[in-house]
């Protein structure tokens, strides 16, 4: 959900790629009490979207794994394919290959735009941009044939080019058409349908494209400046609201799908270890039905990076909870 510059310069340059009243935080002692249990597979919840750095996200992600004492190549990486124009689909077709070159063992979650600003979803659904998606599918499947494709994410946010309100039928047709294109390139790809948490700007479930083209039901969750204490905010704005965490679990269960959390993070509210604790405990509670979670470790419209000392209490707790025990 944080918006960052996900554009990429050419290979020959240093590459920079990217893809609400105040309250106090509960005392740190209550936020850092021992968890009910440690996850059986903490790496599953330790994925991340990280900075590109001088050599690529894979190198930065390796540093993230070391910081959390996770085994090499054990966490998923997240990236964004193309960004703002149809030409991007062709210009950036080399990016998946960089991940493969630096680490063939890494699996990646690719967030793929379902359209761009100025192009109606109907045009995509009618096949007018099949060539762009063919290029993306070929590039990703050749580099990561078992990648997770997060198509047209956060379709319930008005800021997205593929905002589904009042055009849900076209969103569904476009989603299904693009999945068919990707499937022709690799049978090992998985597809993640991922709203933004809460009511947002439209009801997300009206844009569900169908069980036959969805493998995982995702949800992006960020700590915002909502009213109330940290505990009240968790209960009212994350756990129990329409299209919140409980809805996510019930919706995924009803459709027989595993859950995912492709983006989550603190920062908009500030240093909030309580939110870190609650997200961790939600992951542990639902461990058997969550395929992956990925922290948004890049500062965008608001700061979310957690390994750079800007949120010290959250950082210490995150490292302890999501790190592998020696």
């Amino acid at each position: 959900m944080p918006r960052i510059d996900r554009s990429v310069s050419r290979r020959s340059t240093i590459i920079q790629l990217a893809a609400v009243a105040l309250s106090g935080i509960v005392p740190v002692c209550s936020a850092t009490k021992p968890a009910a249990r440690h996850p059986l597979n903490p790496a599953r919840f330790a994925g991340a979207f990280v900075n590109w750095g001088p050599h690529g996200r894979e190198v930065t992600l390796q540093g993230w794994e070391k910081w959390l004492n996770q085994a090499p190549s054990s966490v998923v990486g997240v990236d964004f394919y193309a960004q703002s124009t149809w030409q991007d689909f062709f210009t950036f077709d080399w990016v998946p290959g960089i991940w493969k070159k630096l680490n063939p063992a890494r699996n990646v979650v690719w967030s793929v735009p379902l359209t761009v600003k100025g192009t109606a979803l109907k045009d995509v659904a009618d096949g007018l941009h099949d060539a762009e998606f063919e290029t993306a599918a070929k590039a990703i499947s050749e580099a990561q044939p078992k990648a997770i494709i997060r198509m047209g994410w956060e379709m319930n946010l008005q800021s997205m080019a593929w905002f589904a309100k009042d055009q849900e039928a076209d969103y569904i047709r476009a989603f299904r058409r693009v999945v068919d294109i990707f499937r022709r390139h690799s049978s090992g790809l998985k597809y993640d349908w991922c709203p933004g948490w809460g009511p947002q700007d439209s009801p997300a479930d009206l844009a569900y494209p169908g069980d036959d083209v969805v493998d995982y039901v995702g949800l992006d969750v960020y700590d915002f400046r909502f009213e109330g204490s940290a505990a009240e905010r968790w209960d009212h704005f994350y756990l129990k609201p329409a299209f919140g965490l409980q809805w996510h679990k019930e919706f995924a269960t009803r459709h027989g799908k595993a859950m995912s959390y492709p983006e989550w993070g603190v920062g908009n509210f500030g240093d909030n270890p309580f939110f870190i604790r609650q997200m961790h405990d939600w992951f542990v509670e639902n461990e058997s039905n969550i395929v992956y979670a990925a922290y948004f470790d890049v500062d965008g419209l608001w700061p979310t990076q957690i390994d750079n000392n800007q949120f010290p209490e959250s950082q210490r707790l995150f490292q302890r909870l999501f790190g592998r025990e020696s």
Side-chain angles (χ1 to χ4, degrees), residues 25-33 273 313 316-317:
I25 296 174
V26 297
V28 172
C29 60
S30 65
T32 58
K33 66 182 186 301
E313 298 294 341
R316 283 192 288 269
L317 185 60

Side-chain angles (χ1 to χ4, degrees), residues 69-287:
N69 193 36
Q70 297 292 351
S73 306
S74 63
V75 309
V76 297
V78 175
D79 214 335
F80 293 78
Y81 189 94
Q83 181 182 5
S84 58
T85 71
W86 288 116
Q87 184 59 36
D88 290 347
F89 280 71
F90 304 107
T91 302
F92 302 138
D93 63 343
W94 56 271
V95 177
I98 293 294
W99 281 92
K100 180 179 181 180
K101 179 180 179 180
L102 294 171
N103 184 1
R106 179 77 63 195
N107 204 20
V108 181
V109 179
W110 285 101
S111 300
V112 178
L114 197 52
T115 188
V116 302
K117 292 289 186 181
T119 299
L121 282 166
K122 183 179 185 300
D123 289 352
V124 176
D126 289 344
L128 301 185
H129 291 279
D130 284 0
E132 287 88 343
F133 290 105
E134 289 281 359
T135 298
K138 182 175 185 294
I140 292 172
S141 63
E142 288 181 352
Q144 293 92 32
K146 295 184 179 180
I148 298 168
I149 309 300
R150 187 172 66 136
M151 194 84 65
W153 70 100
E154 297 180 359
M155 75 302 298
N156 54 338
L157 274 68
Q158 189 172 5
S159 60
M160 309 306 279
W162 46 89
F163 181 42
K165 185 177 182 180
D166 299 329
Q167 52 180 346
E168 287 87 356
D170 287 334
Y171 176 92
I172 290 169
R173 288 201 302 124
F175 190 105
R176 296 179 63 87
R177 185 179 190 94
V178 176
V179 167
D180 284 345
I181 290 173
F182 272 76
R183 281 176 171 168
R184 292 200 293 267
H185 289 268
S186 174
S187 61
L189 299 172
K190 300 294 185 182
Y191 301 91
D192 194 326
W193 177 79
C194 179
W197 96 98
Q200 299 294 348
D201 303 313
S202 69
D205 56 350
L206 297 182
Y208 183 67
D211 292 344
D212 58 327
V213 291
V214 171
D215 295 292
Y216 310 135
V217 174
L219 195 69
D220 291 347
V221 187
Y222 289 93
D223 183 34
F224 264 48
R225 294 180 181 271
F226 297 121
E227 68 271 9
S229 69
E232 290 169 337
R233 291 164 53 246
W234 172 262
D235 191 61
H236 296 158
F237 297 104
Y238 304 110
L239 184 62
K240 295 180 180 179
F243 305 103
L245 290 165
Q246 287 185 348
W247 167 85
H248 183 218
K249 178 179 180 178
E250 292 166 2
F251 185 89
T253 299
R254 186 162 65 250
H255 288 271
K257 305 299 178 181
M259 295 183 289
S260 71
Y261 296 88
E263 295 182 32
W264 74 279
V266 295
N268 183 272
F269 178 81
D271 195 354
N272 188 356
F274 184 83
F275 183 80
I276 297 293
R277 160 68 68 187
Q278 295 304 108
M279 287 296 291
H280 167 271
D281 289 356
W282 177 260
F283 296 159
V284 171
E285 176 186 340
N286 297 283
E287 181 173 10

